[in-house]
Amino acid sequence: MITNLRQESKKILRPLAKGLIRLGLSGNQVTALGLVASILFLIVMYFTRNPILGFITLVVSSLLDALDGEVARLRGTAGPMGSFLDSSFDRLEDAIFISSLTLLGFQSLLTALLVGISLSISYLRAKAESLGIKAEGKGLIERGERLIFLSLILIFLDFFPLVSTSLFYILIIASVITLWQRFHLVISTFPK
Ligand SMILES: CC(C)CCC[C@@H](C)CCC[C@@H](C)CCC[C@@H](C)CCOC[C@@H](COP(=O)(O)O[C@@H]1[C@H](O)[C@H](OP(=O)(O)O)[C@@H](O)[C@H](O)[C@H]1O)OCC[C@H](C)CCC[C@H](C)CCC[C@H](C)CCCC(C)C
Ligand SMILES: Nc1ccn([C@@H]2O[C@H](COP(=O)(O)O)[C@@H](O)[C@H]2O)c(=O)n1
Ligand SMILES: [Mg+2]
Ligand SMILES: [Mg+2]
């Protein structure tokens, strides 16, 4: 869904991307910084177990993820290498963000399953696209929505733990639905 906001989001992202370009950063460097920010997230969560500090570092990493493409496009350097880096680092970031929930007391088995389902959602898009089937924007919750869910889980954890836990279970259910939607998208494209 949030992919449909891409055009509107340029009002927020473009000036920020121009700022990063003025700092002399390339799209790939912004992508790398997004991964560094996610590793910082892991360090902060491991040593402080503070969900608000985690949220702040997650926002920084997510913002860099949304900005890297904009920086590349504005610099005229968008291309396959950057696309590969962006998508690859996103998977590592997803694994870091979700698995860190176990540091905050979330159930390990469900958290591990959520990592797998999240990575599989993205894998199905990659596989679909390798078969010539457009999967961008398809599915209930794409990466942006998952990041928003994770942000809210972190924000509410100390203040409204029941809300945070409920969001965790909703995220799992919505992720399973999204996985099925993308799976069905591909199998329904090919003749029986
Ligand atoms: C403090 C409270 C009062 C309020 C807090 C509210 C919180 C909910 C705020 C959350 C903010 C933030 C943590 C979450 C939102 C950021 C997120 C929308 C931006 C990252 O989007 C991801 C990016 C992904 O696309 P990309 O092409 O780079 O990657 C693809 C993706 O990995 C695919 O995976 P999948 O298939 O979807 O699973 C792969 O398949 C592809 O291969 C891969 O290419 O999207 C980029 C552009 C977005 C469409 C545009 C949205 C940008 C936002 C609107 C602007 C930024 C939001 C700010 C971070 C908000 C600041 C919060 C502030 C502190 C309150
Ligand atoms: N280092 C990068 C990062 C991204 N790109 C290009 O942008 C696309 C992703 O754009 P987002 O706005 O969703 O981040 C990606 O597919 C690449 O085409 C790039 O070239 N270099
Ligand atoms: Mg990106
Ligand atoms: Mg990305």
Side-chain angles (χ1 to χ4, degrees), residues 1-189:
M1 279 186 282
I2 206 160
T3 302
N4 305 323
L5 285 179
R6 191 175 282 276
Q7 208 42 47
E8 291 76 15
S9 69
K10 286 191 186 301
K11 296 187 192 89
I12 304 174
L13 297 177
R14 183 145 295 184
L16 291 172
K18 286 178 180 169
L20 293 175
I21 291 171
R22 274 196 292 278
L23 292 173
L25 289 171
S26 69
N28 291 349
Q29 287 169 332
V30 176
T31 300
L33 280 176
L35 180 63
V36 168
S38 69
I39 293 166
L40 179 64
F41 167 91
L42 182 62
I43 292 166
V44 162
M45 292 289 272
Y46 182 79
F47 287 104
T48 71
R49 299 306 201 263
N50 183 322
I52 299 304
L53 290 180
F55 163 71
I56 292 165
T57 42
L58 189 150
V59 166
V60 170
S61 178
S62 301
L63 202 49
L64 290 168
D65 182 18
L67 286 167
D68 55 3
E70 201 60 25
V71 167
R73 286 184 288 271
L74 288 172
R75 290 180 68 113
T77 58
M81 171 60 132
S83 180
F84 175 74
L85 276 180
D86 187 5
S87 298
S88 307
F89 286 6
D90 284 353
R91 306 295 70 85
L92 298 174
E93 291 157 18
D94 287 346
I96 288 171
F97 293 145
I98 299 170
S99 55
S100 301
L101 292 178
T102 56
L103 296 171
L104 300 175
F106 285 86
Q107 226 252 31
S108 302
L109 178 62
L110 285 178
T111 304
L113 285 172
L114 184 56
V115 171
I117 292 165
S118 180
L119 297 180
S120 299
I121 288 172
S122 308
Y123 170 76
L124 288 187
R125 172 173 159 184
K127 187 62 188 173
E129 288 172 353
S130 75
L131 297 170
I133 300 166
K134 181 179 178 328
E136 181 175 18
K138 305 288 186 197
L140 184 62
I141 57 164
E142 293 188 286
R143 182 155 191 268
E145 289 86 350
R146 298 199 297 277
L147 289 169
I148 290 171
F149 260 97
L150 287 168
S151 306
L152 293 171
I153 287 167
L154 293 171
I155 290 166
F156 286 119
L157 186 59
D158 286 344
F159 308 103
F160 305 101
L162 201 56
V163 172
S164 181
T165 309
S166 304
L167 286 169
F168 176 69
Y169 290 116
I170 293 167
L171 174 57
I172 293 172
I173 294 164
S175 299
V176 170
I177 292 168
T178 305
L179 191 63
W180 164 252
Q181 287 175 311
R182 289 192 172 180
F183 182 78
H184 183 261
L185 169 74
V186 178
I187 57 169
S188 60
T189 303

